[in-house]
Amino acid sequence: MFRAAILRVPKFNVRSGRIRNYTQRRTQSPSQYDGEIVGVEPVVSPLAVGASVVFVGGIFYYMYSEHRQTIASFLPFLGSPASEPSASSKPEQDARDKIRKQRAQMVPKSELTAAEQLKWAWTHPGLYVIGSNEFGLADPQHPGSVSGIKCAVPGLEGKLIRSAAFSKTHAAAVDSSGALFQWGTGFAGNAPHTPTCTLKDASICEVAATDNFVVLRDNKSRIRVLSGSNAPNQLGSNTEVTLSFEPRLGWRESVVSMSAGRSHIAVTTNSGHVYTAALDKDGNSRGQLGHGSSTVVQPLQLHRIQSDLRFTSTACGDEHTLLLTNDGDVLGCGANDFGQLATGAYSSGKATMRELAPLPRLWKNGFLRPQDAYAVGIAAGAATSYAQIVQGEARRVLAWGRGIDGQLGTGTLTHMQGVPVVIPELSDREEFDEALQARRPLGLRSLITGANHALAVCDNRSNVVLDKSGASVNASPLFGHDVVVWGSNAFGQCEPGRRHRFAEPAHPPSLFTSTSGNLDNKLPLQAAPPQWIESAQLRDADSSSLPKKVLVEQMFVAGPDVTAAFLRSCK
């Protein structure tokens, strides 16, 4: 028979961490207690209690911040307060409601299937931006408002965009007529504004943005620089400067592409030459122009890189430059603080590489490229580098440099990476081609980089038929090209509504849905392939200035803290 035990509530001594009046009789065996409840003397650490509370609280905070809308739909008391705002906060609340209503009109109110995404993208020209609006790049009418927004840039509705570019504080876009629009607080100040047309020239075909300038390339091989900042004009008394080439372009030599870093640019010609230029005194501070040991250069003048090699494209990071040769080799110069020039283990002697040279660790055999391997594309973030490699039948995407925000796409967060690593989600993939009845390797159509995040459009087969007779020739249901994003998401530039870093490529939800609802159940984004569209079907467009049918394609661009999509007229 067990005797009833009288239990006394023990008292906890915070200072000693012990429970008073709770001792154990060690001289007797357990059987002598005859049914009494015996406890073991605990020692409770206040530090352990605090750590446990912080850990559990952190888990709940993460779950709430990631799935706020879903939780609030089941537990309304965890959502926004239901009480009426005070008199002092009512004007602010009204302003927020006005912004919310304006942005709600810019995107469809329901989620779109893959086919609906394509049809919507083909018929809704404009510039659609997600990410930070701190400097008014997404919504210049309300600069400084929340991050993680998704909206069409006011004033560019109905415009087919040739090219667009974003810096940290200002942005620029060129429409199909050659009109250049500029906006952002770095350009127009902190007051609400809309994109301003600062130049109109039908020959403009590409725009790039640096910290303080907007750079234009036209079909006459002119490179023009305009001020993109409201800071004191660094172009002197001129509002526009046309850069000179040294030496001059050859007979029938023309500029075919360009790229821009923080304060330098690089342009490629159809003859395989590369010209680089500093836009200010810091434009060659790390040797990013590729002219060797000389750091003193004349700003706003293009100088040819002396090399016997011929190049097909360039990619500029903040302070480093990559060049792709027509044989598939990759060369680089400039800053190497994070291993963005693939020199292997870091050393202070390799922090700056002023001499243009092949990347030492790009290939497994060192400088020697395997006979069956070659690079077909390059890209650069602020301090991260990428290359698309073909080796035999395999297609791989390599990344190296800074990766603390997940820019390397390997699933890990690496501070510096001097040896290229394979991005598994984008490499060695295949799909079954029904037309050929065989498997084919998958690569990328394009690789777009911001400062610390990246976006890739895959070249998976689409069932869109390119035919002037219209959409009736297309199979149903329609599907386009897959899109993946990875890297920093601090401002929602990868996926609005979430703030965590994407350490490996992930499929973002449709660009044309609101950020409310369950983020995990949204359909992934599809890029719209080229298609013939009747100009009368282009919403808000001036069809009188367009041909009856227009060949359009959806394109993407990224800036330091934003990602954007637009509809381009293909020629």
Side-chain angles (χ1 to χ4, degrees):
M1 297 289 294
F2 288 104
R3 295 201 301 271
I6 299 177
L7 300 180
R8 296 180 180 179
V9 178
K11 298 180 179 180
F12 181 72
N13 188 332
V14 176
R15 180 175 300 177
S16 64
R18 296 176 178 272
I19 299 179
R20 293 183 292 175
N21 302 327
Y22 197 70
T23 60
Q24 179 180 5
R25 298 167 57 190
R26 301 180 184 277
T27 58
Q28 293 178 309
S29 64
S31 61
Q32 292 177 313
Y33 287 99
D34 196 16
E36 288 185 324
I37 299 177
V38 181
V40 178
E41 180 181 17
V43 178
V44 182
S45 170
L47 182 61
V49 173
S52 300
V53 172
V54 171
F55 177 73
V56 174
I59 292 177
F60 279 103
Y61 176 77
Y62 173 80
M63 294 296 294
Y64 179 70
S65 62
E66 288 293 303
H67 305 282
R68 181 179 305 170
Q69 292 88 355
T70 303
I71 294 175
S73 64
F74 292 98
L75 303 174
F77 61 87
L78 292 179
S80 302
S83 59
E84 289 293 329
S86 62
S88 60
S89 64
K90 187 169 178 51
E92 297 180 0
Q93 183 64 38
D94 293 341
R96 286 194 294 269
D97 291 342
K98 182 179 179 181
I99 295 175
R100 193 158 40 245
K101 290 179 181 179
Q102 287 179 345
R103 290 176 180 162
Q105 295 173 358
M106 298 177 185
V107 294
K109 296 180 174 58
S110 61
E111 297 178 6
L112 303 180
T113 65
E116 291 170 336
Q117 285 186 52
L118 302 191
K119 293 177 180 178
W120 201 93
W122 283 329
T123 56
H124 288 73
L127 185 63
Y128 299 87
V129 182
I130 62 174
S132 172
N133 196 48
E134 179 182 1
F135 301 102
L137 302 187
D139 182 6
Q141 291 181 341
H142 306 92
S145 55
V146 297
S147 297
I149 70 170
K150 178 190 298 186
C151 70
V153 177
L156 298 181
E157 303 95 335
K159 295 187 180 297
L160 295 173
I161 305 295
R162 288 182 184 175
S163 179
F166 295 85
S167 78
K168 183 73 173 179
T169 63
H170 67 95
V174 179
D175 71 6
S176 58
S177 68
L180 171 67
F181 293 88
Q182 294 180 251
W183 69 97
T185 60
F187 169 75
N190 296 324
H193 61 281
T194 56
T196 302
C197 181
T198 56
L199 180 67
K200 191 164 185 178
D201 185 342
S203 65
I204 300 174
C205 50
E206 186 178 4
V207 61
T210 68
D211 278 0
N212 297 309
F213 300 100
V214 168
V215 186
L216 305 176
R217 176 180 69 87
D218 61 30
N219 56 22
K220 300 176 183 178
S221 293
R222 291 180 299 179
I223 303 297
R224 290 180 280 177
V225 177
L226 287 75
S227 177
S229 170
N230 56 13
N233 189 8
Q234 301 185 48
L235 299 178
S237 59
N238 301 315
T239 58
E240 174 187 326
V241 173
T242 300
L243 305 190
S244 60
F245 290 82
E246 181 60 39
R248 297 176 61 181
L249 296 177
W251 174 249
R252 293 189 176 179
E253 185 176 15
S254 60
V255 177
V256 294
S257 65
M258 72 174 179
S259 58
R262 177 181 293 173
S263 56
H264 77 289
I265 61 171
V267 302
T268 310
T269 72
N270 59 354
S271 298
H273 295 134
V274 169
Y275 289 79
T276 57
L279 300 184
D280 56 32
K281 60 182 179 59
D282 297 323
N284 195 37
S285 60
R286 305 296 297 275
Q288 57 264 48
L289 299 186
H291 299 310
S293 58
S294 175
T295 59
V296 180
V297 296
Q298 181 68 31
L300 301 175
Q301 188 174 51
L302 288 160
H303 291 268
R304 183 196 296 174
I305 291 180
Q306 300 301 317
S307 176
D308 294 331
L309 299 173
R310 292 295 176 262
F311 303 97
T312 59
S313 64
T314 62
C316 294
D318 273 359
E319 295 180 317
H320 76 286
T321 307
L322 302 178
L323 289 80
L324 177 63
T325 72
N326 56 5
D327 293 327
D329 281 315
V330 181
L331 285 71
C333 58
N336 190 40
D337 303 286
F338 297 92
Q340 57 263 50
L341 297 182
T343 56
Y346 174 81
S347 67
S348 58
K350 298 178 181 178
T352 297
M353 309 294 290
R354 299 189 181 278
E355 299 288 343
L356 182 67
L359 305 188
R361 300 297 298 274
L362 179 60
W363 312 106
K364 290 184 178 180
N365 297 329
F367 289 97
L368 299 178
R369 176 174 55 85
Q371 292 185 352
D372 64 338
Y374 54 94
V376 295
I378 54 176
T384 313
S385 303
Y386 304 89
Q388 302 176 53
I389 303 297
V390 174
Q391 187 163 13
E393 293 295 324
R395 304 288 188 273
R396 297 188 179 97
V397 180
L398 306 182
W400 61 97
R402 188 174 189 270
I404 196 63
D405 291 312
Q407 306 97 303
L408 300 180
T410 60
T412 60
L413 305 178
T414 305
H415 184 61
M416 58 178 63
Q417 179 68 40
V419 178
V421 292
V422 175
I423 302 180
E425 295 293 329
L426 301 178
S427 303
D428 299 317
R429 302 182 307 151
E430 295 180 332
E431 75 170 357
F432 184 77
D433 191 325
E434 294 184 358
L436 301 176
Q437 289 297 300
R439 302 186 70 84
R440 73 177 188 94
L442 279 178
L444 300 182
R445 289 177 61 86
S446 59
L447 178 58
I448 300 99
T449 55
N452 296 306
H453 74 290
L455 177 146
V457 180
C458 304
D459 72 344
N460 57 291
R461 186 76 70 183
S462 170
N463 66 344
V464 173
V465 179
L466 187 61
D467 194 305
K468 272 195 171 184
S469 60
S472 60
V473 301
N474 289 290
S476 182
L478 287 173
F479 58 88
H481 300 293
D482 294 335
V483 178
V484 293
V485 293
W486 68 97
S488 173
N489 192 44
F491 300 95
Q493 61 264 49
C494 286
E495 183 174 333
R498 291 184 172 176
R499 300 294 292 273
H500 67 79
R501 293 170 285 194
F502 287 81
E504 56 186 357
H507 294 274
S510 170
L511 190 65
F512 309 112
T513 57
S514 66
T515 57
S516 61
N518 188 352
L519 294 172
D520 294 323
N521 294 331
K522 290 188 175 180
L523 294 171
L525 175 62
Q526 293 274 290
Q531 181 60 288
W532 289 98
I533 298 295
E534 292 186 4
S535 57
Q537 295 180 327
L538 297 175
R539 183 176 179 180
D540 298 326
D542 182 10
S543 58
S544 62
S545 62
L546 298 172
K548 185 176 181 180
K549 286 195 173 183
V550 185
L551 180 61
V552 296
E553 178 183 13
Q554 188 180 34
M555 306 296 293
F556 294 86
V557 64
D561 301 319
V562 297
T563 304
F566 59 89
L567 197 63
R568 183 186 70 175
S569 175
C570 306
K571 291 185 178 180

